Coordinates of all heavy atoms in Angstrom, one line a residue:
R1 N -6.8 9.8 -9.6 CA -6.7 10.3 -11.0 C -5.4 11.0 -11.2 O -5.2 12.1 -10.6 CB -7.9 11.2 -11.3 CG -9.2 10.6 -11.3 CD -10.4 11.6 -11.4 NE -10.8 12.2 -10.2 CZ -10.6 13.4 -9.8 NH1 -9.9 14.3 -10.6 NH2 -10.9 13.9 -8.6
F2 N -4.5 10.5 -12.0 CA -3.2 11.1 -12.3 C -3.4 12.2 -13.3 O -2.7 13.2 -13.3 CB -2.2 10.1 -12.8 CG -1.7 9.2 -11.8 CD1 -2.3 7.9 -11.6 CD2 -0.6 9.5 -11.0 CE1 -1.9 7.0 -10.7 CE2 -0.2 8.6 -10.0 CZ -0.8 7.4 -9.8
S3 N -4.3 12.0 -14.2 CA -4.6 13.0 -15.3 C -6.0 12.7 -15.8 O -6.7 11.9 -15.2 CB -3.6 12.9 -16.4 OG -3.7 11.7 -17.1
D4 N -6.4 13.5 -16.8 CA -7.7 13.2 -17.4 C -7.8 11.9 -18.2 O -8.9 11.5 -18.5 CB -8.1 14.4 -18.3 CG -7.2 14.6 -19.4 OD1 -6.0 14.8 -19.2 OD2 -7.7 14.5 -20.6
T5 N -6.6 11.3 -18.4 CA -6.6 10.1 -19.2 C -6.2 8.8 -18.4 O -6.5 7.7 -18.9 CB -5.6 10.2 -20.4 OG1 -4.3 10.5 -19.9 CG2 -6.0 11.3 -21.3
F6 N -5.6 9.0 -17.2 CA -5.0 7.9 -16.6 C -5.4 7.9 -15.1 O -5.3 8.9 -14.4 CB -3.5 7.9 -16.7 CG -2.8 6.7 -16.0 CD1 -3.1 5.4 -16.3 CD2 -1.9 6.9 -15.0 CE1 -2.5 4.3 -15.7 CE2 -1.3 5.9 -14.3 CZ -1.6 4.6 -14.7
S7 N -5.9 6.7 -14.6 CA -6.2 6.6 -13.2 C -6.0 5.1 -12.8 O -5.9 4.2 -13.6 CB -7.7 6.9 -13.0 OG -8.6 6.0 -13.6
V8 N -5.8 5.0 -11.4 CA -5.7 3.6 -10.9 C -6.6 3.6 -9.7 O -7.0 4.6 -9.1 CB -4.2 3.3 -10.4 CG1 -3.3 3.4 -11.6 CG2 -3.8 4.3 -9.3
Q9 N -7.0 2.4 -9.3 CA -7.9 2.2 -8.2 C -7.6 0.9 -7.5 O -7.1 -0.1 -8.1 CB -9.3 2.3 -8.5 CG -9.9 1.2 -9.4 CD -11.3 1.5 -9.8 OE1 -11.7 2.6 -10.1 NE2 -12.1 0.5 -9.8
A10 N -7.8 0.8 -6.2 CA -7.6 -0.4 -5.4 C -8.6 -0.4 -4.3 O -9.1 0.7 -3.8 CB -6.2 -0.5 -4.9
G11 N -8.9 -1.6 -3.8 CA -9.9 -1.7 -2.7 C -10.2 -3.1 -2.3 O -9.3 -4.0 -2.3
A12 N -11.4 -3.4 -1.9 CA -11.8 -4.7 -1.4 C -13.1 -5.1 -2.1 O -13.9 -4.3 -2.4 CB -12.0 -4.6 0.1
Q13 N -13.3 -6.4 -2.2 CA -14.5 -7.0 -2.8 C -14.9 -8.2 -2.0 O -14.1 -9.0 -1.5 CB -14.3 -7.4 -4.2 CG -15.5 -8.0 -4.9 CD -15.2 -8.5 -6.3 OE1 -14.1 -8.3 -6.8 NE2 -16.3 -9.0 -7.0
L14 N -16.2 -8.2 -1.7 CA -16.8 -9.3 -1.0 C -18.0 -9.9 -1.8 O -18.8 -9.1 -2.3 CB -17.3 -8.9 0.4 CG -17.9 -9.9 1.3 CD1 -17.7 -9.5 2.8 CD2 -19.4 -10.1 1.1
Q15 N -18.0 -11.2 -2.0 CA -19.2 -11.8 -2.7 C -19.5 -13.1 -2.1 O -18.6 -13.9 -1.9 CB -18.8 -12.0 -4.2 CG -20.0 -12.5 -5.0 CD -19.8 -12.5 -6.5 OE1 -20.1 -13.4 -7.2 NE2 -19.3 -11.4 -7.1
K16 N -20.8 -13.3 -1.9 CA -21.3 -14.6 -1.4 C -22.4 -15.0 -2.3 O -23.3 -14.2 -2.7 CB -21.9 -14.4 0.0 CG -22.4 -15.8 0.6 CD -22.8 -15.6 2.0 CE -23.5 -16.9 2.6 NZ -22.5 -18.0 2.5
G17 N -22.3 -16.3 -2.8 CA -23.3 -16.7 -3.8 C -23.3 -18.2 -4.0 O -22.7 -19.0 -3.4
Q18 N -24.1 -18.5 -5.1 CA -24.2 -19.9 -5.5 C -24.3 -20.0 -7.0 O -25.0 -19.1 -7.6 CB -25.4 -20.6 -4.9 CG -25.7 -22.0 -5.2 CD -27.0 -22.5 -4.8 OE1 -28.0 -22.4 -5.4 NE2 -27.0 -23.1 -3.6
S19 N -23.7 -20.9 -7.6 CA -23.8 -21.1 -9.1 C -23.9 -22.6 -9.3 O -23.4 -23.4 -8.6 CB -22.6 -20.5 -9.8 OG -21.4 -21.4 -9.6
S20 N -24.6 -22.9 -10.4 CA -24.8 -24.3 -10.8 C -24.9 -24.4 -12.3 O -25.5 -23.6 -13.0 CB -26.1 -24.8 -10.1 OG -27.2 -24.1 -10.5
D21 N -24.3 -25.5 -12.8 CA -24.4 -25.8 -14.2 C -24.2 -27.3 -14.3 O -24.3 -28.1 -13.3 CB -23.4 -25.0 -15.0 CG -22.0 -25.3 -14.7 OD1 -21.7 -26.1 -13.7 OD2 -21.1 -24.8 -15.4
V22 N -23.9 -27.8 -15.5 CA -23.7 -29.2 -15.7 C -22.5 -29.8 -14.9 O -22.4 -31.0 -14.7 CB -23.6 -29.6 -17.2 CG1 -24.9 -29.3 -17.9 CG2 -22.4 -28.8 -17.8
L23 N -21.6 -28.9 -14.5 CA -20.4 -29.4 -13.8 C -20.7 -29.5 -12.3 O -19.9 -30.0 -11.5 CB -19.2 -28.4 -14.0 CG -18.7 -28.3 -15.4 CD1 -17.5 -27.4 -15.4 CD2 -18.3 -29.7 -15.9
G24 N -21.9 -29.0 -11.8 CA -22.2 -29.1 -10.4 C -22.6 -27.8 -9.8 O -22.6 -26.7 -10.5
K25 N -22.9 -27.8 -8.5 CA -23.3 -26.6 -7.8 C -22.2 -26.2 -6.9 O -21.6 -27.1 -6.2 CB -24.6 -26.9 -7.0 CG -25.1 -25.7 -6.3 CD -26.5 -26.0 -5.6 CE -26.4 -26.9 -4.5 NZ -27.7 -27.1 -3.7
I26 N -22.0 -24.9 -6.8 CA -20.9 -24.4 -6.0 C -21.5 -23.3 -5.1 O -22.0 -22.3 -5.6 CB -19.7 -23.8 -6.8 CG1 -19.1 -24.9 -7.7 CG2 -18.7 -23.2 -5.9 CD1 -18.1 -24.4 -8.6
D27 N -21.4 -23.5 -3.8 CA -21.7 -22.4 -2.8 C -20.4 -21.8 -2.4 O -19.4 -22.5 -2.0 CB -22.4 -23.0 -1.6 CG -23.8 -23.5 -1.9 OD1 -24.7 -22.6 -2.2 OD2 -24.0 -24.7 -1.9
Y28 N -20.3 -20.5 -2.5 CA -18.9 -19.9 -2.3 C -19.0 -18.6 -1.5 O -20.1 -17.9 -1.5 CB -18.3 -19.6 -3.7 CG -19.0 -18.6 -4.5 CD1 -18.7 -17.3 -4.5 CD2 -20.0 -19.0 -5.4 CE1 -19.4 -16.4 -5.3 CE2 -20.7 -18.1 -6.2 CZ -20.4 -16.8 -6.2 OH -21.0 -15.9 -6.9

């Protein structure tokens, strides 16, 4: 937090899943 109005953040994200629609199924 630089001030009460401005902040930045950084980190890591991990996601494992599956999605499907008319274009097909994706395991990712």
Side-chain angles (χ1 to χ4, degrees):
R1 294 175 275 110
F2 289 94
S3 68
D4 62 301
T5 60
F6 180 59
S7 66
V8 299
Q9 64 184 43
Q13 178 180 0
L14 182 152
Q15 185 172 133
K16 180 176 176 59
Q18 180 189 86
S19 72
S20 60
D21 64 355
V22 293
L23 295 183
K25 183 173 70 173
I26 300 176
D27 292 291
Y28 63 90

